[in-house]
Amino acid sequence: MTEPPATVPLRIGNASGFYGDRFDAVREMLTGGPLDVLTGDYLAELTMLILGRSRLKDPSRGYATTFLRQLEEGLGLAGERGVRIVTNAGGLNPAGLADAVRELAAKVGVPVRVAHVEGDGLPVPEGYLTANAYLGGAGIAACLRAGADVVVTGRVTDAALVTGPAAAHFGWGPEDHDALAGAVVAGHVLECGTQATGGNYSFFRGHDLRRPGFPVAEIHADGTSVITKHDGTGGVVDVGTVTAQLLYETGGARYAGPDVTARLDTVRLTPEGPDRVRISGVRGEAPPPTLKAGLTRLGGWRNEVVFVLTGLDVEAKAGLVRDQIADAFARAGRQPDEVRWELARTDRADAGTEETASALLRLVVRDQDPDAVGRALSGAAIELALGSYPGFHVTAPPGKGAPYGVFEARYVPAEDVTHLAVLPDGRREAQEPAARTREVEVLEQPPLPAPLAAGQSTRTAPLGLVAGARSGDKGGDANVGVWVRSEAAWRWLAHELTVERFWELLPETAPLTVVRHVLPHLRALNFTVHGLLGEGVAAQHRFDPQAKALGEWLRSRHLEIPVALLPPEVHA
């Protein structure tokens, strides 16, 4: 395949933000407009656990099989258009997926040079399913320089799918920190697919989001980029959608990775026409001496049942069923190790439908013994059917219980991990860790903008009338990024939304450690909520196990907002 000249932007598109994303996206991206590289991100913390269980059943698997089905048509389209494909769909078995791609290419009659990256797999400690280090983009770059048309990796950082192709194309070395950091930021924007083009976006009204297009980054030789999408596709790319994705699942101003530590406090976003946002100014620092490693294991067994409480006396009905379940456990002589109740008051007074007259009482149990969450719970819940609160029923009968997983993050010295590029001709090329490293230190918080003049008229209103938010998970922690679209709103938000006010608005977080990070160039605050998600998404610790809607809950909370900042229709 012919590479574009290094003097023109490298056009990198994304066609997958997770294992299960829109199946047709590969074809849409290859036929919808010009591209040089098409990436696909299939791995998440939960996905590694899923692939680990898949590999237990069949050692030849452990990769994202959806990717192969997408390639049945995609290989030919990519070959015709000169597009290279880079994906982490290899999961726990990149060599196996690379072989499967070769077999598919022979079957469909498309000549293709396939390479893969390995070495992320670490010794798996006893009691664990998977252990993988997050590699950078060097192996991908080596594969592309050797002429690969398709590069398959295992666990790499999401941004490596962009830094690798960019480094190969522009000839960047490991010391080109600013350029690499710019590519990391572009990669972070692309990694979650349509979240950069209006998906999961606070200000979604006014845009056609029925089928948002997938994002494209035009990377320049200096590491600056323009985020866009194919012409004619749905969704929107503007400063807000890019800001939202930049804040997603990040923490402080230093965004560390194996290629470089990108300084998020230096990012500048500039609109450059319809559906085009330029990213510039990104500074980079030497990467840390360690690599993040993700370990997954089965944590035990869980089960749940949701009781429906309709009409009057909801609190009393909930109290009765709690007492009855506790009595049933006592009579059985065994209570699960963890018993959690949550009453969701979805009911309304004098409701016009039975469903809107009903509240939901959710019981979740966990234990190391499957019997403690299986028969013990199902028997206790179902035997109440004719002898509990009036109108007793459940959304579904509890089953036998299911295993749940746990994700743990650790850090390993980079020199202890063998990062290998397996080139199209079979040669194995080791990638050396960074010669110069730098420990990641927390930056001092930047000075806040001048507050708004005192004495302004205010009105009690939802925060979301002024601010957008994007939230997500990192292991057991959650992050909530909050941003505003005007300088006046920023001068208010930076002083108003303190950690103390955050605790007040989101009472669930009050017992937890919350850290606030200030990003003035983005007019944004990023909050890390430590421990909110327990043992991570696979453990299903809370109602919203990945904290996807935590930011929208925050936006719905009311506080005193200066009238001048509110939309005209609110303060008219």
Side-chain angles (χ1 to χ4, degrees), residues 181-201:
V184 164
V185 170
H188 181 59
V189 174
L190 258 59
E191 70 186 52
C192 288
T194 54
Q195 280 195 172
T197 58
N200 299 347
Y201 183 48

Side-chain angles (χ1 to χ4, degrees), residues 81-149:
R81 291 159 174 76
V83 179
R84 292 180 167 185
I85 296 175
V86 180
T87 179
N88 62 13
L92 300 174
N93 188 7
L97 180 56
D99 286 340
V101 172
R102 294 184 186 97
E103 293 174 7
L104 176 64
K107 176 183 174 182
V108 300
V110 176
V112 65
R113 293 165 292 185
V114 183
H116 73 274
V117 178
E118 60 185 40
D120 59 297
L122 303 176
V124 181
E126 185 176 354
Y128 287 78
L129 270 178
T130 67
N132 297 81
Y134 288 70
L135 303 180
I140 296 171
C143 292
L144 293 171
R145 285 194 297 265
D149 304 314

Side-chain angles (χ1 to χ4, degrees), residues 453-516:
Q456 295 209 18
S457 175
T458 65
R459 176 172 293 183
T460 302
L463 175 62
L465 294 182
V466 174
R470 173 70 60 76
S471 56
D473 64 305
K474 277 295 182 185
D477 300 337
N479 97 286
V480 185
V482 185
W483 80 97
V484 290
R485 298 181 287 185
S486 72
E487 192 60 28
W490 171 236
R491 290 172 59 190
W492 171 78
L493 182 76
H495 294 275
E496 176 65 24
L497 195 55
T498 61
V499 169
E500 291 72 22
R501 182 53 58 87
F502 188 92
W503 280 328
E504 176 187 325
L505 295 173
L506 302 185
E508 274 188 63
T509 70
L512 304 173
T513 299
V514 174
V515 179
R516 185 179 97 148

Side-chain angles (χ1 to χ4, degrees), residues 418-431:
T418 303
H419 184 172
L420 283 173
V422 184
L423 307 181
D425 61 6
R427 287 182 296 124
R428 303 170 69 82
E429 185 177 293
Q431 308 303 306

Side-chain angles (χ1 to χ4, degrees), residues 400-420:
K400 296 180 179 180
Y404 69 87
V406 174
F407 174 88
E408 297 178 13
R410 299 183 184 177
Y411 292 85
V412 298
E415 62 266 21
D416 291 351
V417 176
T418 303
H419 184 172
L420 283 173

Side-chain angles (χ1 to χ4, degrees), residues 222-308:
D222 61 357
T224 61
S225 63
V226 172
I227 305 299
T228 184
K229 61 186 183 69
H230 285 331
D231 291 343
T233 56
V236 61
V237 176
D238 63 18
V239 170
T241 66
V242 175
T243 299
Q245 180 54 28
L246 276 177
L247 296 173
Y248 183 63
E249 295 182 348
T250 60
R254 283 190 164 110
Y255 187 62
D259 295 312
V260 69
T261 293
R263 289 283 298 269
L264 299 183
D265 58 331
T266 63
V267 176
R268 294 184 181 274
L269 304 179
T270 310
E272 197 179 79
D275 294 316
R276 294 179 63 83
V277 173
R278 177 170 292 279
I279 300 175
S280 62
V282 187
R283 304 302 300 270
E285 299 171 346
T290 57
L291 299 180
K292 179 181 175 180
L295 283 72
T296 66
R297 60 180 171 85
L298 294 179
W301 295 78
R302 73 182 296 279
N303 206 347
E304 69 175 78
V305 59
V306 179
F307 301 89
V308 182

